[in-house]
Amino acid sequence: MKYTFPHNFYWGSATSAPQSEGHLPDDGKGQNIWDYWFEENPELFFDQVGPQTTSTFAKNYREDLRLLRSIGLNSLRLSISWSRIFPEGTGEINEQAVAFYRDIFTTMHEVGIEPFVNLFHFDLPLPLQNLGGWENRHVVSAFATYASTCFSLFGDLVAHWFTFNEPIVIVECGYLYQFHYPAVVDSKRAAQVGYHLALAHACAVAAFRSGKFPGEIGIIVNLSPIYPKDLSPEHKQAALIADCFFNRSFLDPALKGTFPQPLVDLLQAHDALPNYTEHDLAIIAENTVDILGVNYYQPRRVQAPTHQPEQLMPETYFAHYEWPERIMNPYRGWEIYPQGLFDLAIRLKNDYGNPRWYVAENGMGVENEQRFLDETGQIQDTYRIQFFHDHLSALASALASGANCVGYHVWTGIDNWSWLNAYKNRYGLIALDLATQTRTVKRSGLWFKALAETNVLPDVE
Ligand code: BG6
């Protein structure tokens, strides 16, 4: 059976400023929390490689964009670095950064790649973190100013805007599990951060609408379908709460303008409700999105809690469940489950009014891909092709069932830097030699080209 996709489908890849740009001398960029954390604790980062050492997109973007176009991409999601535009987070604009991003977006149009532009990918300017970061209400207004500045500066070149990438990750990694700076463990502070992120998002959408900028605006959320161990009431309840924490916390405000009631009740019961105002809630209610980006990597499997942490944590309400039949990506430790993408698509259709959405990230990070080099120097990443193939089969089935999905972006185009893992796992359609900065198309890159040029899902081999 041949799976086909609509002729105007967005085929592309995603990356972010902190993971791809790198720093150029005298570029006027200010420090963000990743620059600072690496400076303070380089030992936390794989091979002690930090955000300065990335795939040098800032230097090579003209060639990189042509290369990405040559493997069929018609769209690309990247992010603007807030600390590049506003080195202090607010105040004076860095004019070099304005010229830089205008040239990137112009080049994208020249080569035939539609810009999907995200405003925030985990990279808070350090001066704002020093004010308390997302716990401080002032940062919400600073974000709204930054967002409307970008709409004014680049609105003639960008028609697809996104406010945040994976806002729940900022909450869980920064304030519960210590994978992101400031690496604290405090659920009350986490709730305040989450609330401010939802509000900042809605304020940016409001600014976009009131400025009457052309195009559409949305948010990118990482969704994982939640599967209970079995259908017994205690495991189903665990799944319901996990869903509120990790999916509905941002999905509901973005699409419905409300927060999930079980989550509100739970936070209230633990005296962890954030400070809020009725006026804020009205802004959130009135500013739902035009388009949703969905990052899908893995499902979440849960069971009733197995222990009680000392303070409120997600684990207070559910525990991880290891499904005996799972297939794992051992390098990242994530389950591979393509059916999850179908289930998400159908849920968006049935429970959220079938919004316009696209797959904003999907991909497979693998360590030491040099093992798979053939005699021509090409990485034979058939495991990645299989991964894409199986997820796209699921997506095609969802489209046939009426899902309103308009595109599919892989993570990522050119191997890029990843947070604490740095360059350990590679995700790209194009390999990067970090030492020489040489780019080489992988087998998956050619496979993706065939897909993007025909809208027909090619076989794996
Ligand atoms: C997503 C993020 O969560 O997953 C990316 O938006 C990230 O920034 C990607 O790089 C892959 O995860 P990781 O941790 O392996 O880089």
Side-chain angles (χ1 to χ4, degrees):
M1 165 167 178
K2 280 279 172 218
Y3 289 106
T4 58
F5 294 86
H7 75 276
N8 54 353
F9 211 60
Y10 289 113
W11 295 111
S13 67
T15 187
S16 74
Q19 294 178 266
S20 63
E21 287 181 357
H23 299 182
L24 293 173
D26 305 319
D27 59 7
K29 182 184 164 304
Q31 274 209 317
N32 64 41
I33 55 174
W34 290 96
D35 303 321
Y36 174 73
W37 208 19
F38 181 67
E39 214 172 80
E40 291 294 299
N41 295 102
E43 74 287 352
L44 293 176
F45 295 74
F46 186 78
D47 276 351
Q48 304 215 8
V49 172
Q52 291 81 358
T53 318
T54 67
S55 32
T56 59
F57 183 71
K59 192 161 137 236
N60 292 310
Y61 62 85
R62 291 192 187 85
E63 297 77 25
D64 284 351
L65 290 169
R66 285 186 170 78
L67 184 58
L68 289 168
R69 182 68 191 128
S70 78
I71 58 163
L73 275 67
N74 61 23
S75 48
L76 169 73
R77 191 246 298 193
L78 39 68
S79 74
I80 293 176
S81 159
W82 186 348
S83 52
R84 197 181 280 286
I85 296 286
F86 285 113
E88 295 297 319
T90 54
E92 207 166 317
I93 295 179
N94 171 16
E95 292 301 337
Q96 280 189 70
V98 178
F100 170 70
Y101 286 115
R102 284 199 66 83
D103 196 44
I104 290 178
F105 303 145
T106 304
T107 309
M108 289 173 84
H109 288 294
E110 277 167 15
V111 304
I113 294 183
E114 187 71 20
F116 282 46
V117 177
N118 174 37
L119 292 167
F120 190 88
H121 202 118
F122 311 157
D123 52 344
L124 192 67
L126 186 62
L128 297 179
Q129 184 65 48
N130 290 341
L131 294 177
W134 289 108
E135 289 175 72
N136 184 341
R137 169 107 201 184
H138 171 74
V139 174
V140 174
S141 328
F143 180 77
T145 305
Y146 158 61
S148 40
T149 306
C150 288
F151 303 147
S152 303
L153 290 170
F154 310 119
D156 57 327
L157 296 171
V158 178
H160 314 277
W161 288 99
F162 297 89
T163 54
F164 287 91
N165 176 76
E166 300 189 345
I168 190 65
V169 168
I170 302 163
V171 179
E172 58 172 312
C173 290
Y175 293 85
L176 294 175
Y177 300 121
Q178 299 185 290
F179 295 119
H180 289 192
Y181 194 77
V184 295
V185 184
D186 189 317
S187 47
K188 194 168 167 64
R189 290 168 69 182
Q192 190 67 57
V193 165
Y195 174 73
H196 278 158
L197 288 167
L199 179 62
H201 156 76
C203 290
V205 174
F208 184 78
R209 302 246 162 87
S210 68
K212 298 199 170 17
F213 295 100
E216 58 183 353
I217 187 158
I219 189 168
I220 295 162
V221 289
N222 50 311
L223 298 182
S224 292
I226 316 272
Y227 303 113
K229 178 178 176 185
D230 60 42
L231 294 182
S232 60
E234 72 272 24
H235 298 319
K236 275 171 67 181
Q237 177 64 13
L240 183 144
I241 298 296
D243 188 41
C244 286
F245 269 112
F246 290 109
N247 293 325
R248 294 183 58 194
S249 48
F250 286 95
L251 193 57
D252 282 22
L255 291 176
K256 296 182 171 173
T258 55
F259 290 100
Q261 197 56 44
L263 181 61
V264 174
D265 294 344
L266 179 159
L267 291 175
Q268 193 157 28
H270 289 270
D271 192 25
L273 265 191
N275 297 324
Y276 70 98
T277 69
E278 291 302 325
H279 179 66
D280 294 347
L281 297 183
I283 297 175
I284 292 168
E286 284 158 18
N287 290 286
T288 54
V289 297
D290 304 320
I291 181 169
L292 183 76
V294 175
N295 295 351
Y296 176 64
Y297 288 93
Q298 55 167 344
R300 189 183 285 270
R301 299 188 189 274
V302 299
Q303 56 185 327
T306 49
H307 75 286
Q308 283 301 304
E310 277 172 20
Q311 62 161 305
L312 171 64
M313 291 290 279
E315 290 71 22
T316 309
Y317 285 91
F318 59 86
H320 170 69
Y321 167 63
E322 209 164 272
W323 185 40
E325 290 164 52
R326 71 198 180 282
I327 295 168
M328 295 296 288
N329 168 1
Y331 310 101
R332 191 61 179 82
W334 287 349
E335 184 184 335
I336 299 175
Y337 189 66
Q339 169 75 25
L341 186 54
F342 178 86
D343 292 348
L344 285 176
I346 298 306
R347 183 174 185 201
L348 287 174
K349 176 168 174 269
N350 293 344
D351 296 354
Y352 289 89
N354 211 14
R356 177 176 157 83
W357 68 281
Y358 83 110
V359 176
E361 286 182 30
N362 182 229
M364 187 180 178
V366 171
E367 196 168 352
N368 187 16
E369 290 200 303
Q370 295 305 312
R371 282 174 291 164
F372 305 111
L373 270 183
D374 71 0
E375 61 290 349
T376 70
Q378 185 184 62
I379 290 174
Q380 301 299 304
D381 54 344
T382 35
Y383 41 88
R384 181 169 289 111
I385 295 173
Q386 186 78 54
F387 181 98
F388 292 147
H389 176 274
D390 295 350
H391 285 82
L392 282 160
S393 308
L395 186 62
S397 302
L399 283 164
S401 306
N404 191 12
C405 177
V406 298
Y408 176 86
H409 283 186
V410 301
W411 186 269
T412 185
I414 300 171
D415 286 342
N416 62 16
W417 183 81
S418 155
W419 320 114
L420 298 185
N421 275 336
Y423 277 94
K424 174 177 165 290
N425 299 319
R426 304 301 186 99
Y427 284 84
L429 298 170
I430 296 169
L432 172 79
D433 181 324
L434 200 53
T436 62
Q437 287 289 326
T438 310
R439 282 89 159 124
T440 313
V441 176
K442 299 179 195 175
R443 187 183 177 108
S444 60
L446 296 181
W447 183 88
F448 197 81
K449 177 178 164 74
L451 165 70
E453 289 180 354
T454 60
N455 298 311
V456 177
L457 189 64
D459 293 335
V460 173
E461 289 304 321

